[in-house]
Amino acid sequence: MLRMLTASFLLITGLLVTGDAIKTPTFTPQAMESDGTQEAVSARVDEHSPSTVIHRADAGYLKLHFDSLHLQPGAYLTVSDSSGSQARTIRGSGPQWAVSVEGDTAIIALHNGSGSATVDTLFRGYSAQEMQERAVTNICGTDQSQEIACFKATFPAEFEHSAAVAQARITFKDPADGKTKIAACTAFRIGATNRMLTNNHCLSPSTWISGDILFNYQCATCTGTELSPGTTVAVDQILTTDAGLDFTLFTVTDFVATAQYGWLNVDPSTPVKGGQIYIPQHPGGGTKKLAVLTEGDGICTVNTVYTGDMIGYECDTRKGTSGSPVVSRQSHKVIALHFAGSTEGPCMNIGTDMSVIWPKIKDYMG
């Protein structure tokens, strides 16, 4: 299988055999290259003015960069949303990115002592509507993916296993222009220990600055907009990565807080054509959706097993689904790592077989 780097993204070329014809479809990765806008700001807290508020109308989230942080022993900062329910704690000194808070307001507060902190940059996450307008889709027919809550009664096992899947917001420096950006992708817990998997084109050690991992980022009901209570942790360490197979295995901070969401196991055998599958995902940098149905209420299946290391399927995906697990409905184990959608030829989405990824990561699984 030939994998080629073209411009600033990875193009994948494979051979698809259909009867006597051989087609060479082209695929493009499905990370959202940026899910917000960056701007310079000037905000400060200290013992004389221990709190300040930053507001950006219609923001999906706010992520702050502290260019100066000097806290005395025992002192700490919190960055929280307007309700105070999302309190991100910051300690220590030196420049750093805070974990993002959902919504259009960030409250910075100094606690338990003296010190000072200044913010020089913020990232305003796009609203849900803006994200949908920017999301490139790879839909086969009409979009059959829906909010995960819509499948709680009809596909209860798929709903339960999808809890291990999270949204990934990766802050990175774009080598093309040197600018700091945030990519929206998907990631998932793999195994019982502190291990998560996503794509290399989402989380690469050569460009990664920081990353937020949002568990249970989903609508509480099928037709509502209220979010379920969730947990946000940060990317801690990259354990191993492979640009060719397009995977990155990493750990997170505060791993104990993620235990409630369970994990997915791996099936390291070669996938079988016709096997039923589903894909929990965070398309467009938004709430969790599930792709399990195809046109006519059929079930997603493995349509093609490519020679080498990839499979093709018609489960609907969009930009932002890069890093999603392709899960067997029979075993509820991960059989492939989704990374791309077709840009020409037959309507097909594509993932890398876990049969070729597993030998690369098994020694890191703890």
Side-chain angles (χ1 to χ4, degrees):
M1 196 65 61
L2 178 63
R3 298 193 176 212
M4 301 180 295
L5 280 173
T6 303
S8 61
F9 55 91
L10 194 66
L11 287 179
I12 311 300
T13 302
L15 293 180
L16 170 61
V17 180
T18 55
D20 295 328
I22 297 179
K23 296 184 178 181
T24 307
T26 302
F27 302 92
T28 186
Q30 289 191 310
M32 290 283 291
E33 293 182 359
S34 181
D35 71 346
T37 57
Q38 179 179 309
E39 63 180 88
V41 296
S42 180
R44 177 184 173 90
V45 293
D46 54 35
E47 57 265 35
H48 304 293
S49 181
S51 67
T52 190
V53 178
I54 296 177
H55 177 81
R56 292 295 182 272
D58 299 323
Y61 67 87
L62 295 178
K63 186 176 179 68
L64 309 181
H65 179 260
F66 290 87
D67 64 322
S68 175
L69 184 62
H70 302 284
L71 302 177
Q72 298 302 315
Y76 65 94
L77 291 178
T78 57
V79 179
S80 62
D81 64 348
S82 58
S83 69
S85 61
Q86 304 174 59
R88 318 303 191 200
T89 301
I90 300 174
R91 302 180 188 274
S93 61
Q96 59 181 283
W97 285 92
V99 174
S100 56
V101 292
E102 303 308 301
D104 59 9
T105 301
I107 302 173
I108 309 168
L110 175 65
H111 304 269
N112 288 1
S114 61
S116 65
T118 59
V119 177
D120 66 340
T121 307
L122 73 77
F123 231 99
R124 173 197 172 274
Y126 291 135
S127 66
Q129 180 177 348
E130 290 172 313
M131 292 294 281
Q132 288 300 317
E133 291 171 352
R134 287 165 170 78
V136 177
T137 66
N138 200 64
I139 305 302
C140 298
T142 57
D143 190 358
Q144 300 297 314
S145 64
Q146 297 182 58
E147 293 290 338
I148 188 74
C150 300
F151 295 98
K152 186 174 183 178
T154 52
F155 291 87
E158 289 79 359
F159 176 87
E160 179 181 356
H161 285 85
S162 296
V165 178
Q167 188 197 5
R169 291 179 186 154
I170 308 300
T171 307
F172 70 102
K173 179 167 285 189
D174 190 336
D177 56 19
K179 294 182 179 180
T180 299
K181 301 177 181 179
I182 295 182
C185 289
T186 303
F188 59 95
R189 282 194 60 199
I190 178 172
T193 60
N194 185 2
R195 301 292 185 269
M196 294 198 69
L197 196 66
T198 190
N199 288 137
N200 170 274
H201 75 259
C202 294
L203 179 60
S204 170
S206 63
T207 60
W208 164 59
I209 297 173
S210 68
D212 302 341
I213 307 299
L214 290 76
F215 283 91
N216 215 45
Y217 186 62
Q218 59 196 53
C219 292
T221 62
C222 180
T223 58
T225 58
E226 182 180 352
L227 293 177
S228 297
T231 301
T232 301
V233 294
V235 176
D236 188 17
Q237 295 182 334
I238 292 178
L239 300 178
T240 186
T241 190
D242 189 305
L245 296 178
D246 202 4
F247 74 81
T248 295
L249 184 72
F250 65 98
T251 64
V252 296
T253 61
D254 198 11
F255 167 65
V256 173
T258 72
Q260 61 185 303
Y261 302 109
W263 65 87
L264 292 169
N265 289 316
V266 170
D267 181 351
S269 61
T270 301
V272 177
K273 182 178 179 180
Q276 293 187 349
I277 57 175
Y278 60 98
I279 305 178
Q281 55 185 278
H282 283 275
T287 51
K288 188 185 299 178
K289 292 181 171 58
L290 181 66
V292 64
L293 300 176
T294 57
E295 289 294 297
D297 290 331
I299 300 296
C300 292
T301 63
V302 177
N303 295 89
T304 305
V305 178
Y306 293 86
T307 301
D309 55 17
M310 298 188 292
I311 63 171
Y313 37 84
E314 294 181 359
C315 302
D316 294 319
T317 62
R318 300 172 182 264
K319 283 277 191 177
T321 59
S322 284
S324 299
V326 181
V327 188
S328 164
R329 288 196 67 224
Q330 180 179 6
S331 66
H332 298 289
K333 293 182 178 181
V334 181
I335 64 169
L337 178 64
H338 174 77
F339 71 91
S342 64
T343 56
E344 63 182 25
C347 183
M348 194 72 66
N349 291 311
I350 194 165
T352 304
D353 291 5
M354 290 306 297
S355 63
V356 295
I357 293 178
W358 179 250
K360 302 280 188 178
I361 66 173
K362 63 180 181 179
D363 291 341
Y364 295 89
M365 293 305 295

